Every structure is written in structure tokens, then in C-alpha cells.
Amino acid sequence: MKAYMIALPSGKSKSPDNLNKLILLILMSFLLVGTTFLCLYKNPFSQWRQNVKMVYQHSLPASENASNSTSIGSLHQCDLFSGNWVPLAKGPYYTNATKCVIDDRQNCMKFGRPDTEFLKWTWRPNECELPLFDAALFLELVRGKSMAFIGDSLARNQMQSLVCLLASVADPVDVSYVEDTRFRRWFYAEYNFTLAAFWSTYLVRSEEADPNGYSLTSLMKLYLDEVDESWAAQVETFSYIIISAGQWFLRPLMYYEKGQIVGCYFCNQTNVQSLTRYHGYKMVFRTSFRTLLNLKRFEGITFLRTFSPQHYENGVWNNGGNCLRTRPIAKQEMELEEYILEFYWTQLEELRAAQKEGNTRGLKFRLLDATQLMMLRPDGHPSHYGHGPGENITIADCVHWCLPGPIDTWNEALLQMLKTEA
Ligand SMILES: *[C@@H]1O[C@H](CO)[C@@H](O)[C@H](O)[C@H]1NC(C)=O
Ligand SMILES: *[C@@H]1O[C@H](CO)[C@@H](O)[C@H](O)[C@H]1NC(C)=O
Ligand SMILES: *[C@@H]1O[C@H](CO)[C@@H](O)[C@H](O)[C@H]1NC(C)=O
Ligand SMILES: *[C@@H]1O[C@H](CO)[C@@H](O)[C@H](O)[C@H]1NC(C)=O
Ligand SMILES: *[C@@H]1O[C@H](CO)[C@@H](O)[C@H](O)[C@H]1NC(C)=O
Ligand SMILES: *[C@@H]1O[C@H](CO)[C@@H](O)[C@H](O)[C@H]1NC(C)=O
């Protein structure tokens, strides 16, 4: 095991302390999982994509050839999500003055983020172009259709990006059926297009379980085999579903199946079997995909938006960690965190299984692979330039994404994928 396999950020040398931790982490993963990790760290990106391709090749029906398939989020021969960030001399698609709702917590412009270089990059896939977002084209493709974003605040983050991207062509009206803005519903009358957000942090039924009440680290109960009806009961007629889950799986979790406790993650209860967070993550995607597969009238296309990485540096999120970078990092500077890979693999496995099932029922499941491109964008988070209502910002937000910002790329990719499905 050699330390030089870890590429360090150029320009800024790591403190020996961090370096030691890294080496320790890598040593540990090496001991735990053997040689596969060695390969991942040696050449993380290419190896990773290779493996993703392999996962998908196995999942394709025999008649569909992997090299001639759009189903892995690739455009014919081109894998959209394998590429690089390159400079782009162009302003952002929208600003804080654009007529669209931007959550204050991600409105970095409004709260005076001084640097703008993070807005001047575009994603270039290795084998093709990712065209700039074309609002008119997007709206034509979704004419008469409906789209649902299901997940936590990062799902909402993407939906708000989309509404702002479309604002140059059309203004939607708010047709929400509840007051809770986490379930916002927009209608584009001219295009008969409905866009809806469904707030569901765990995708399955969940409850707070801490006797001392909810906090950012309190225990949650997850009913792994019971889908969250707040979205499931509403989406049967939707044309497109963009589903995701993420950071909520980092807190202590109590797992239930058939109404009984089956284990927990980090709950510190000696009488309860300890299970990983990946167990919960796997099961909620399984339950969600199964629900979609079993909805009688459902004919939509489901996009799995993969785990969105966070980028705390100089400390952890609740202990001084921040994200102060102003430009993307290069692939060789990237430090792959094991838990992100593990979440990513876990959801890919479930997507693959759903794709297989979906084939027999004519339902499509697609990969919107946000993970690796966003790993390279530690500069895209609000840090301290975002404010909730009346919030005293002491904790930096290195989880969500500034609007405008690199998250707009998720919708550029979504548009290209819709094009190939049309
Ligand atoms: C897949 O494509 C290769 C050539 O790229 C061809 O040799 C092979 O027969 C194809 N398989 C199927 C199942 O179509
Ligand atoms: C790729 O698929 C299209 C239809 O989806 C088909 O017309 C074309 O012949 C295929 N190309 C190859 C090389 O198999
Ligand atoms: C937009 O951001 C600028 C710069 O921070 C600020 O001066 C302006 O008031 C903001 N406008 C709106 C409508 O938020
Ligand atoms: C609008 O779209 C919905 C499906 O989303 C469809 O049922 C309805 O007929 C459409 N209305 C018009 C006027 O085209
Ligand atoms: C279990 O203990 C760890 C470490 O002390 C703590 O971080 C975590 O919040 C605890 N879990 C619960 C549910 O209290
Ligand atoms: C905000 O938090 C900081 C640090 O905890 C504290 O010093 C400051 O007084 C707080 N400001 C307000 C308005 O609560």
C-alpha cells in the first residue's frame, strides 16, 4: 500500500494529520475489501465508470445491445456522465432577479457570494457534446405531460433549477393542492405541462423517534417495506419521475419491516441488531421501485438521480467544516469517500433490478448520474451565502447547491435524456 496513490489537491498541501487519516482510511478499506479498492483509488474515475457500464450491460435485455443503448444514461454511443468540467465564457442562465422561486438558502447571488468563477464551467462528456439548456425544446418535449421530483431538499433544489431554466420561455402558475411549499405544483398552461415536488426524505414511511424531539442528529424510524404514500398515492399518472434520497441516511435510523424492528443504524440500543445505513438505503429504493412497478396505470419513465456528494473541508458539518473553493477540482485531486461510493453502488444495484422487472412490464428506469460530476464541484455549494428565514448562519451548507450553479447541469442532462426517449 503506497501513499502516493492518493493524489493530493495541487497548490494547497494537506496537513500531515489529514494525510494520515486518509492513509488510515485507505488501509482500512484495503483490509476490509481487499484489492478492489486498490484499483478504485489508483484510477478511481475510469475504473468506476467501467464498473457502472458493466452493471448496466448485465441489466439489458438480450435484444438491446449495450453499445447501442440509451438506457444507461448514454446517448447512443456516448456516456453523458463520463467527462470533465471545462471553462465556458458565458453568463449564467438566470440570476437572482429572474422571475422564479429560488429558496433563500440556495440564493447565493442574493446573499452576496462575491466570486463568480464557479458559474463559468460546463460539463463536457468524453464522447459527445452536452448541449446548453434549451428551454423551448424542453417545453416542447414535455407538452401535455407531467413530471414529479420526489425526494428531499436536493430534489427541490433541482426542481427550482428547472423552473428558473424555463423562466426565459414560460411562467408557470402555482396550482399546489396543499399549502406546504415542499409539495409545490406548477402548471405551464401554454404547454399543458405539470411539474410537481413531493417532499419525502426517506421515500418510505418514517417517524421521529427521539424522546428528546427532533434534531439534526436525532433517531428516525423507517418502515422499510411501507412506501411513503404522500408521493406514492399521487404519481400514478405522471409521465416522468425523478427520484432521489441521500443525506438523511447519515443520521441514526431504526429499521422496521412488517411493523417489527429488524435492526438499527447507530441507535446504541444493545438489544437491537446493528445494521448499516446502506441496508436502509437499499430497502427504500427497492420499496419505491416496486411501488412504481405495481402501480396499475403507471406508464412513466423513472429517473434515478444518484447520491449528491457533500464537500465539507477543514472540519465536519457541525464543527467548523466549510466549503470555500471557487473552482472545480480535477479528477486526480478528488478524494473518493467510501460511503459515497457505497451509497452509489447500492442504488445502482436496485435500479438494475428495477430495470429488469420494468422490461417485462414495459416500464423504463433510467440513470441520472449526478454523483461523479458533482464530486468535482466543491465550489458549487452555498457555504455561508444562503439564508433560511431568520436563520443565524453558523453552519456552512456544503450539501445543497447554489442557484444558478453546477446543479443546472442535472437538467441539461435530463433534457438530453428526454430527447432520446421522445
Ligand atoms: C451486440 O453488438 C455486437 C457488436 O457490437 C454484436 O457482435 C453482438 O452480436 C450484439 N449482441 C446482440 C445480442 O445483439
Ligand atoms: C441501434 O438501434 C437502432 C434502433 O434503436 C437500430 O436502428 C440500429 O440499427 C442499431 N445499431 C446497431 C449498430 O445495432
Ligand atoms: C440580487 O443580488 C444582488 C447582489 O447581491 C443584490 O444587490 C440584489 O438586491 C439582489 N436582487 C434580488 C431581487 O434579490
Ligand atoms: C393536458 O395534459 C393531460 C395529461 O397531462 C391530458 O390528460 C389533457 O387532455 C391535456 N389537455 C389538453 C387541453 O390538451
Ligand atoms: C449513538 O452514539 C453515537 C456516538 O456517541 C452518537 O453520535 C449517536 O448520535 C448516538 N445515537 C443515538 C440515537 O443517540
Ligand atoms: C449568531 O451566532 C453567532 C455564533 O454562534 C453569535 O455570536 C451571534 O450572536 C448570533 N447572532 C444572532 C443574531 O443570533
Side-chain angles (χ1 to χ4, degrees):
M1 203 49 217
K2 298 192 182 86
Y4 60 69
M5 282 170 189
I6 320 152
L8 296 174
S10 54
K12 183 169 152 263
S13 63
K14 294 241 108 185
S15 72
D17 211 61
N18 273 347
L19 184 58
N20 283 340
K21 265 191 235 149
L22 253 178
I23 295 171
L24 188 68
L25 174 76
I26 291 175
L27 271 174
M28 276 165 46
S29 14
F30 186 63
L31 290 175
L32 285 173
V33 294
T35 50
T36 49
F37 254 86
L38 192 60
C39 305
L40 281 174
Y41 278 97
K42 230 171 158 177
N43 196 349
F45 263 90
S46 52
Q47 188 68 33
W48 192 10
R49 285 313 295 183
Q50 283 276 307
N51 290 347
V52 172
K53 277 192 174 155
M54 272 164 47
V55 168
Y56 277 89
Q57 272 164 15
H58 288 305
S59 73
L60 293 169
S63 60
E64 234 182 294
N65 216 317
S67 61
N68 186 25
S69 164
T70 56
S71 66
I72 64 164
S74 55
L75 295 171
H76 302 290
Q77 310 282 329
C78 169
D79 173 1
L80 268 187
F81 302 104
S82 228
N84 288 291
W85 291 99
V86 296
L88 175 73
K90 186 193 144 287
Y93 287 111
Y94 53 92
T95 71
N96 61 329
T98 302
K99 192 167 165 256
C100 59
V101 176
I102 299 179
D103 198 308
D104 271 356
R105 286 166 292 197
Q106 288 105 48
N107 201 335
C108 303
M109 267 187 195
K110 178 171 166 186
F111 291 98
R113 177 167 175 168
D115 58 305
T116 55
E117 193 189 338
F118 78 103
L119 298 169
K120 295 173 182 157
W121 297 83
T122 188
W123 179 251
R124 167 134 336 133
N126 291 331
E127 294 158 344
C128 61
E129 288 288 312
L130 177 58
L132 291 177
F133 192 84
D134 181 338
L137 174 61
F138 188 98
L139 286 163
E140 279 309 330
L141 288 169
V142 297
R143 189 182 280 282
K145 301 204 164 132
S146 50
M147 179 177 279
F149 284 87
I150 303 167
D152 58 22
S153 48
L154 278 153
R156 180 172 62 219
N157 207 178
Q158 185 183 0
M159 178 160 134
Q160 289 187 354
S161 154
L162 180 58
V163 174
C164 290
L165 288 168
L166 297 174
S168 61
V169 171
D171 279 334
V173 288
D174 190 336
V175 293
S176 305
Y177 59 105
V178 287
E179 265 183 39
D180 188 341
T181 55
R182 296 175 302 183
F183 292 83
R184 177 103 63 180
R185 197 172 277 211
W186 297 108
F187 183 61
Y188 291 81
E190 212 182 313
Y191 296 88
N192 188 21
F193 170 54
T194 301
L195 187 55
F198 293 97
W199 167 260
S200 184
T201 50
Y202 291 108
L203 307 178
V204 297
R205 186 159 83 83
S206 63
E207 278 169 18
E208 289 166 27
D210 199 302
N212 301 318
Y214 174 85
S215 74
L216 285 172
T217 52
S218 61
L219 182 68
M220 301 290 284
K221 291 183 188 172
L222 298 199
Y223 296 87
L224 297 177
D225 53 354
E226 298 178 42
V227 77
D228 179 357
E229 289 296 340
S230 65
W231 68 265
Q234 300 282 333
V235 300
E236 190 156 14
T237 59
F238 274 73
S239 327
Y240 305 108
I241 283 177
I242 293 104
I243 195 166
S244 56
Q247 272 71 12
W248 286 72
F249 286 82
L250 300 175
R251 53 162 66 234
L253 302 168
M254 183 68 74
Y255 298 140
Y256 288 75
E257 279 180 50
K258 300 197 172 84
Q260 302 294 317
I261 291 178
V262 293
C264 76
Y265 165 66
F266 222 46
C267 70
N268 309 331
Q269 297 183 17
T270 46
N271 54 339
V272 180
Q273 188 200 354
S274 184
L275 291 169
T276 64
R277 48 194 171 195
Y278 315 113
H279 174 76
Y281 203 61
K282 172 180 74 187
M283 294 307 291
V284 306
F285 280 105
R286 189 170 294 178
T287 299
S288 301
F289 292 149
R290 189 168 290 159
T291 299
L292 289 168
L293 285 160
N294 289 334
L295 284 176
K296 282 207 173 56
R297 288 183 300 151
F298 180 63
E299 290 173 1
I301 302 179
T302 304
F303 296 87
L304 168 69
R305 196 269 294 148
T306 60
F307 192 86
S308 173
Q310 59 193 43
H311 292 95
Y312 284 97
E313 293 188 88
N314 313 308
V316 293
W317 67 273
N318 56 0
N319 190 16
N322 55 24
C323 37
L324 305 175
R325 291 174 189 263
T326 55
R327 49 182 302 168
I329 54 170
K331 282 179 192 169
Q332 55 274 20
E333 297 175 60
M334 192 188 69
E335 290 158 16
L336 274 179
E337 289 190 79
E338 194 187 338
Y339 80 92
I340 294 179
L341 272 182
E342 198 69 40
F343 275 126
Y344 179 80
W345 280 110
T346 302
Q347 56 185 175
L348 246 53
E349 290 271 326
E350 291 308 314
L351 181 68
R352 175 175 58 157
Q355 264 186 338
K356 218 162 139 191
E357 280 285 301
N359 282 334
T360 64
R361 196 181 155 321
L363 285 179
K364 294 176 180 172
F365 288 82
R366 299 291 185 246
L367 175 65
L368 183 53
D369 192 340
T371 308
Q372 65 157 325
L373 59 142
M374 298 314 263
M375 293 257 242
L376 302 172
R377 298 308 306 268
D379 56 329
H381 301 287
S383 188
H384 293 288
Y385 298 106
H387 292 260
E391 209 176 349
N392 183 2
I393 298 296
T394 50
I395 292 177
D397 182 353
C398 306
V399 173
H400 299 90
W401 304 97
C402 290
L403 296 176
I407 192 175
D408 296 324
T409 300
W410 301 3
N411 290 318
E412 292 172 342
L414 178 62
L415 168 56
Q416 294 311 308
M417 293 172 79
L418 292 180
K419 226 159 94 180
T420 64
E421 303 293 351

